[in-house]
Amino acid sequence: MTPVVFIDGDQGTTGLQIHARLQGRTALRVLTLRADRRKHPGARAEALNHCDIAILCLPDDAAREAVAMIHNPAVHVIDASSAHRTAPGWVYGFPEMDDRQAQRIAQATRVSNPGCYPTGAVALLRPLVEAGLVQHDHPLTIHAVSGYSGRGRAGVDEHEGPNAAQALPFQVYGLGLQHKHAPEMAVHAGLKMRPIFVPAYGAYRQGIVLTIALHLRLLPAGVDAQRLRTALAAHYSGSRHVEVLPAGASKALERLDPQALNGTNDLQLAVFDNAAQGQVLLTAVFDNLGKGASGAAVQNLDLMLEHLQMQNAQRQLNAA
């Protein structure tokens, strides 16, 4: 039986990207609603309860509302909003987080897609915190610059609409230090203290560079750039989508291009250092619409679909 996937909010930035990534796939059927039915509660509720996997590409409150509409226990959910990223009963949808996370995602009925910025922050910090190379209570400041599509339709309209000439070329925001991604970073990186998070948008469509600066004198004795790099490389060894640059490749770089991995589901991590000054810079480059949103959702979808297919095959075998 062909599994049915319903994208609730398929006209938003993330929803459109997911839809495009699923084009041409014959092993599943994408359920869509007519334009005049997309916001109709009854039509949405029917679609949400008659699919195998629902992908929610909605604002937080609308995502919570959609989950409340689901009464069919067989429906699996991937929520691309931030509504459930630290909620009990939801599995965090970062398959590379540890050796068992992909299996947890595959077997879950409720999966929360990571935020774009937390994807880079958690990818860099969690292995280092778990290895004891960065303390749980280390005072961290995380800076990231995203393409304007990270603002969703509003960002795209501002930079690509009729008033695009008035759009700011660069803007730092979240100055109240209350960005909704900071708690998610703390929880899933294993931190006891919420990091200071300084986000920004640039005048390009998509792509992220995220950086975390460290002073070696504040880290446990004996920690240096190579130990940090080795720990990251060991954690992501064999990973299909996460690459850790070796020391030579990092030293050869003079700049980071936030758009370098656009259109992919890949994440590139690197460690830069100034040994004489005892300073280290951790970096992550990825597509905010790829590994930071739609690419991650499709990666999680594939894990869940594979598990559902195995379950169906087992049922057929048992019934034979």
Side-chain angles (χ1 to χ4, degrees), residues 208-254:
I208 286 178
V209 167
L210 180 142
T211 60
I212 305 172
L214 299 172
H215 292 277
L216 292 178
R217 62 183 175 80
L218 300 179
L219 300 181
V223 175
D224 59 12
Q226 187 54 44
R227 285 191 65 187
L228 296 170
R229 186 182 295 109
T230 299
L232 289 171
H235 183 90
Y236 296 109
S237 176
S239 172
R240 177 183 174 187
H241 293 292
V242 183
E243 175 194 20
V244 179
L245 289 183
S250 297
K251 290 179 180 178
L253 287 175
E254 295 183 356

Side-chain angles (χ1 to χ4, degrees), residues 101-123:
Q101 195 67 8
Q103 182 180 3
R104 295 187 190 102
I105 293 166
Q107 297 175 349
T109 58
R110 297 290 184 269
V111 172
S112 183
N113 230 43
C116 55
Y117 294 127
T119 295
V122 172

Side-chain angles (χ1 to χ4, degrees), residues 243-297:
E243 175 194 20
V244 179
L245 289 183
S250 297
K251 290 179 180 178
L253 287 175
E254 295 183 356
R255 60 185 63 86
L256 293 174
D257 177 5
Q259 303 177 88
L261 296 178
N262 281 0
T264 77
N265 192 44
D266 296 335
L267 172 64
Q268 186 180 81
L269 309 179
V271 180
F272 301 89
D273 73 306
N274 183 325
Q277 298 297 324
Q279 297 173 342
V280 167
L281 187 67
L282 309 177
T283 70
V285 175
F286 55 106
D287 184 354
N288 61 290
L289 297 181
K291 189 62 170 166
S294 59

Side-chain angles (χ1 to χ4, degrees), residues 88-239:
W90 287 74
V91 173
Y92 195 56
F94 182 34
E96 297 87 359
M97 193 162 74
D98 63 38
D99 290 343
R100 297 183 57 199
Q101 195 67 8
Q103 182 180 3
R104 295 187 190 102
I105 293 166
Q107 297 175 349
T109 58
R110 297 290 184 269
V111 172
S112 183
N113 230 43
C116 55
Y117 294 127
T119 295
V122 172
L124 285 167
L125 290 171
R126 186 180 177 102
L128 303 181
V129 171
E130 288 189 336
L133 302 180
V134 173
Q135 303 96 324
H136 293 270
D137 59 352
H138 190 89
L140 291 164
T141 298
I142 300 168
H143 180 261
V145 183
S146 171
Y148 56 76
S149 62
R151 289 182 58 200
R153 187 180 296 276
V156 173
D157 289 345
E158 180 180 345
H159 285 267
E160 299 180 7
N163 298 316
Q166 301 173 25
L168 293 173
F170 183 83
Q171 52 188 305
V172 176
Y173 67 105
L175 302 180
L177 304 181
Q178 291 290 333
H179 196 284
K180 65 181 181 179
H181 284 172
E184 177 187 348
M185 292 175 180
V187 167
H188 296 294
L191 302 173
K192 293 181 180 178
M193 293 177 57
R194 193 165 79 173
I196 294 174
F197 177 48
V198 185
Y201 289 124
Y204 60 96
R205 198 173 206 279
Q206 64 196 80
I208 286 178
V209 167
L210 180 142
T211 60
I212 305 172
L214 299 172
H215 292 277
L216 292 178
R217 62 183 175 80
L218 300 179
L219 300 181
V223 175
D224 59 12
Q226 187 54 44
R227 285 191 65 187
L228 296 170
R229 186 182 295 109
T230 299
L232 289 171
H235 183 90
Y236 296 109
S237 176
S239 172

Side-chain angles (χ1 to χ4, degrees), residues 16-37:
L16 287 170
Q17 288 269 330
I18 293 173
H19 212 289
R21 288 170 183 261
L22 297 181
Q23 287 292 318
R25 292 181 52 166
T26 57
L28 56 82
R29 180 168 69 88
V30 178
L31 174 62
T32 58
L33 298 178
R34 298 195 318 263
D36 61 336
R37 304 286 286 172

